[in-house]
Amino acid sequence: SAVISQKPSRDICQRGTSLTIQCQVDSQVTMMFWYRQQPGQSLTLIATANQGSEATYESGFVIDKFPISRPNLTFSTLTVSNMSPEDSSIYLCSVEGGRGSDTQYFGPGTRLTVL
Amino acid sequence: GQQLNQSPQSMFIQEGEDVSMNCTSSSIFNTWLWYKQDPGEGPVLLIALYKAGELTSNGRLTAQFGITRKDSFLNISASIPSDVGIYFCAGQAAGNKLTFGGGTRVLVKP
């Protein structure tokens, strides 16, 4: 399985500011995914990020709020823009398990608290 | 959208006990995955199931892909304290998107 790291691991931010979360993978992957996990809840897919194309967002998530970059096959960023306390969550990136694989492997997550 | 109902929401275990949890869906999935999440960490893949009726083991863990393709269960045999955590099922229909169940929180009996 891929080794995935995320930065920062946690942060406390002020309302109205933005935070960019980085996801680095130790191997090249076509598809990367960003999830949100609200306190005590399950995982919800924010968007799918393929290298060389615009991210595909799920219902309820928009690019202006969660811009995503995917500059190469091992790296992606998710920005949480104009934050409010409701954005306090764990943000997780994941990658596909391999060509043709239906599995996904997750990074350790970024715990965000917005005051 | 697709919904995954995972039960129980929480359970207490005593060391040595067998425990079971399951997920049901209103629609068909092609793949079922089971993850465990420890506090402060991301979910870790435990078992992947690809065929209806498939029964797969990983150590003390056993999971099955239901015949109808709308359900799956996970069993943990002879539980130990490090089994504590949150277990998630996830189903994949078309494409690469996963739908997650609500999670089962496994706790140790006081």
Side-chain angles (χ1 to χ4, degrees):
Chain A
S1 63
V3 176
I4 305 166
S5 60
Q6 285 185 233
K7 290 181 182 179
S9 58
R10 59 177 61 229
D11 208 342
I12 300 174
C13 300
Q14 296 297 320
R15 180 195 299 261
T17 63
S18 298
L19 176 72
T20 295
I21 302 167
Q22 299 178 5
C23 181
Q24 179 77 52
V25 191
D26 70 340
S27 57
Q28 294 185 338
V29 293
T30 302
M31 302 186 76
M32 295 179 77
F33 308 87
W34 286 99
Y35 289 82
R36 181 176 72 184
Q37 186 176 26
Q38 294 176 300
Q41 302 296 313
S42 185
L43 286 76
T44 300
L45 181 64
I46 297 171
T48 302
N50 291 344
Q51 193 266 340
S53 62
E54 295 239 341
T56 303
Y57 289 83
E58 297 301 302
S59 175
F61 298 97
V62 295
I63 188 171
D64 289 346
K65 176 67 176 176
F66 297 102
I68 288 171
S69 79
R70 183 76 203 275
N72 57 53
L73 290 173
T74 63
F75 187 78
S76 179
T77 66
L78 170 77
T79 299
V80 186
S81 303
N82 188 24
M83 289 183 284
S84 67
E86 292 71 34
D87 294 320
S88 298
S89 294
I90 300 172
Y91 292 86
L92 297 140
C93 70
S94 75
V95 304
E96 57 181 346
R99 189 186 296 274
S101 168
D102 292 337
T103 57
Q104 288 183 24
Y105 296 98
F106 284 83
T110 295
R111 183 179 296 269
L112 171 62
T113 302
V114 184
L115 302 178
Chain B
Q2 291 163 327
Q3 300 280 334
L4 277 188
N5 296 311
Q6 187 171 346
S7 65
Q9 289 186 339
S10 62
M11 63 168 60
F12 287 91
I13 61 171
Q14 194 154 33
E15 190 165 354
E17 281 182 343
D18 296 348
V19 298
S20 182
M21 60 197 77
N22 69 82
C23 276
T24 59
S25 169
S26 57
S27 52
I28 289 171
F29 286 108
N30 297 325
T31 301
W32 282 95
L33 306 173
W34 285 92
Y35 290 88
K36 179 176 184 248
Q37 186 176 28
D38 291 325
E41 298 183 14
V44 174
L45 182 65
L46 300 174
I47 292 181
L49 302 159
Y50 299 106
K51 292 182 185 177
E54 180 181 357
L55 185 72
T56 297
S57 293
N58 177 8
R60 293 179 296 105
L61 306 176
T62 302
Q64 184 157 32
F65 192 143
I67 289 290
T68 65
R69 295 166 64 191
K70 292 183 179 181
D71 63 306
S72 177
F73 72 74
L74 175 71
N75 285 344
I76 307 172
S77 62
S79 56
I80 59 178
S82 62
D83 290 332
V84 164
I86 305 176
Y87 293 78
F88 290 101
C89 63
Q92 184 185 79
N96 296 80
K97 295 183 192 178
L98 295 182
T99 300
F100 279 81
T104 295
R105 187 178 298 269
V106 174
L107 306 160
V108 174
K109 274 183 188 172

